[in-house]
PDB file of all heavy atoms in Angstrom:
ATOM      1  N   ILE A 137      -7.392  11.200  27.085  1.00 98.00           N
ATOM      2  CA  ILE A 137      -8.239  11.746  26.080  1.00 98.00           C
ATOM      3  C   ILE A 137      -7.421  12.817  25.296  1.00 98.00           C
ATOM      4  O   ILE A 137      -6.774  13.594  25.967  1.00 98.00           O
ATOM      5  CB  ILE A 137      -9.687  12.051  26.382  1.00 98.00           C
ATOM      6  CG1 ILE A 137     -10.489  12.446  25.220  1.00 98.00           C
ATOM      7  CG2 ILE A 137      -9.713  13.193  27.370  1.00 98.00           C
ATOM      8  CD1 ILE A 137     -11.947  12.528  25.432  1.00 98.00           C
ATOM      9  N   ALA A 138      -7.395  12.771  23.958  1.00 98.00           N
ATOM     10  CA  ALA A 138      -6.709  13.796  23.196  1.00 98.00           C
ATOM     11  C   ALA A 138      -7.502  14.110  21.994  1.00 98.00           C
ATOM     12  O   ALA A 138      -8.127  13.133  21.544  1.00 98.00           O
ATOM     13  CB  ALA A 138      -5.321  13.677  23.045  1.00 98.00           C
ATOM     14  N   VAL A 139      -7.356  15.289  21.432  1.00 98.00           N
ATOM     15  CA  VAL A 139      -8.061  15.503  20.170  1.00 98.00           C
ATOM     16  C   VAL A 139      -7.086  16.193  19.168  1.00 98.00           C
ATOM     17  O   VAL A 139      -6.082  16.877  19.612  1.00 98.00           O
ATOM     18  CB  VAL A 139      -9.294  16.519  20.454  1.00 98.00           C
ATOM     19  CG1 VAL A 139      -8.880  17.821  20.877  1.00 98.00           C
ATOM     20  CG2 VAL A 139     -10.147  16.634  19.405  1.00 98.00           C
ATOM     21  N   MET A 140      -7.209  15.822  17.901  1.00 98.00           N
ATOM     22  CA  MET A 140      -6.348  16.336  16.856  1.00 98.00           C
ATOM     23  C   MET A 140      -7.258  17.256  15.942  1.00 98.00           C
ATOM     24  O   MET A 140      -8.272  16.600  15.428  1.00 98.00           O
ATOM     25  CB  MET A 140      -5.700  15.271  16.210  1.00 98.00           C
ATOM     26  CG  MET A 140      -4.966  15.781  14.826  1.00 98.00           C
ATOM     27  SD  MET A 140      -3.927  14.388  14.188  1.00 98.00           S
ATOM     28  CE  MET A 140      -4.241  14.659  12.571  1.00 98.00           C
ATOM     29  N   ARG A 141      -6.913  18.503  15.687  1.00 98.00           N
ATOM     30  CA  ARG A 141      -7.708  19.238  14.730  1.00 98.00           C
ATOM     31  C   ARG A 141      -6.705  19.276  13.421  1.00 98.00           C
ATOM     32  O   ARG A 141      -5.613  19.921  13.549  1.00 98.00           O
ATOM     33  CB  ARG A 141      -8.122  20.574  15.180  1.00 98.00           C
ATOM     34  CG  ARG A 141      -7.232  21.516  15.635  1.00 98.00           C
ATOM     35  CD  ARG A 141      -7.829  22.717  16.293  1.00 98.00           C
ATOM     36  NE  ARG A 141      -8.066  23.817  15.430  1.00 98.00           N
ATOM     37  CZ  ARG A 141      -7.302  24.838  15.134  1.00 98.00           C
ATOM     38  NH1 ARG A 141      -5.971  24.749  15.660  1.00 98.00           N
ATOM     39  NH2 ARG A 141      -7.614  25.816  14.409  1.00 98.00           N
ATOM     40  N   LEU A 142      -7.166  18.890  12.353  1.00 98.00           N
ATOM     41  CA  LEU A 142      -6.466  18.987  11.031  1.00 98.00           C
ATOM     42  C   LEU A 142      -7.172  20.079  10.280  1.00 98.00           C
ATOM     43  O   LEU A 142      -8.323  20.093  10.022  1.00 98.00           O
ATOM     44  CB  LEU A 142      -6.473  17.643  10.290  1.00 98.00           C
ATOM     45  CG  LEU A 142      -5.862  17.551   8.877  1.00 98.00           C
ATOM     46  CD1 LEU A 142      -4.455  17.982   8.843  1.00 98.00           C
ATOM     47  CD2 LEU A 142      -5.976  16.185   8.261  1.00 98.00           C
ATOM     48  N   ILE A 143      -6.215  21.129   9.961  1.00 98.00           N
ATOM     49  CA  ILE A 143      -6.668  22.362   9.318  1.00 98.00           C
ATOM     50  C   ILE A 143      -5.715  22.501   7.877  1.00 98.00           C
ATOM     51  O   ILE A 143      -4.877  21.853   7.775  1.00 98.00           O
ATOM     52  CB  ILE A 143      -6.619  23.434  10.072  1.00 98.00           C
ATOM     53  CG1 ILE A 143      -5.235  23.769  10.615  1.00 98.00           C
ATOM     54  CG2 ILE A 143      -7.614  23.527  11.247  1.00 98.00           C
ATOM     55  CD1 ILE A 143      -5.117  25.233  11.219  1.00 98.00           C
ATOM     56  N   ASN A 144      -6.351  23.331   6.994  1.00 98.00           N
ATOM     57  CA  ASN A 144      -5.659  23.646   5.662  1.00 98.00           C
ATOM     58  C   ASN A 144      -5.159  22.441   5.162  1.00 98.00           C
ATOM     59  O   ASN A 144      -4.173  22.193   4.623  1.00 98.00           O
ATOM     60  CB  ASN A 144      -4.401  24.446   5.987  1.00 98.00           C
ATOM     61  CG  ASN A 144      -4.779  25.821   6.428  1.00 98.00           C
ATOM     62  OD1 ASN A 144      -5.640  26.371   5.743  1.00 98.00           O
ATOM     63  ND2 ASN A 144      -3.946  26.461   7.381  1.00 98.00           N
ATOM     64  N   SER A 145      -6.218  21.529   4.923  1.00 98.00           N
ATOM     65  CA  SER A 145      -5.956  20.178   4.311  1.00 98.00           C
ATOM     66  C   SER A 145      -7.026  19.717   3.355  1.00 98.00           C
ATOM     67  O   SER A 145      -8.210  20.349   3.439  1.00 98.00           O
ATOM     68  CB  SER A 145      -5.908  19.288   5.572  1.00 98.00           C
ATOM     69  OG  SER A 145      -5.727  17.903   5.075  1.00 98.00           O
ATOM     70  N   PHE A 146      -6.837  18.744   2.625  1.00 98.00           N
ATOM     71  CA  PHE A 146      -7.818  18.312   1.614  1.00 98.00           C
ATOM     72  C   PHE A 146      -7.977  16.811   1.774  1.00 98.00           C
ATOM     73  O   PHE A 146      -7.053  15.991   1.626  1.00 98.00           O
ATOM     74  CB  PHE A 146      -7.283  18.600   0.212  1.00 98.00           C
ATOM     75  CG  PHE A 146      -7.263  20.043  -0.100  1.00 98.00           C
ATOM     76  CD1 PHE A 146      -6.090  20.774   0.198  1.00 98.00           C
ATOM     77  CD2 PHE A 146      -8.269  20.632  -0.854  1.00 98.00           C
ATOM     78  CE1 PHE A 146      -5.918  22.083  -0.027  1.00 98.00           C
ATOM     79  CE2 PHE A 146      -8.086  22.091  -1.105  1.00 98.00           C
ATOM     80  CZ  PHE A 146      -7.090  22.738  -0.772  1.00 98.00           C
TER      81      PHE A 146
END
Side-chain angles (χ1 to χ4, degrees):
I137 183 161
V139 68
M140 169 173 144
R141 62 190 269 272
L142 173 57
I143 55 169
N144 287 325
S145 172
F146 294 81

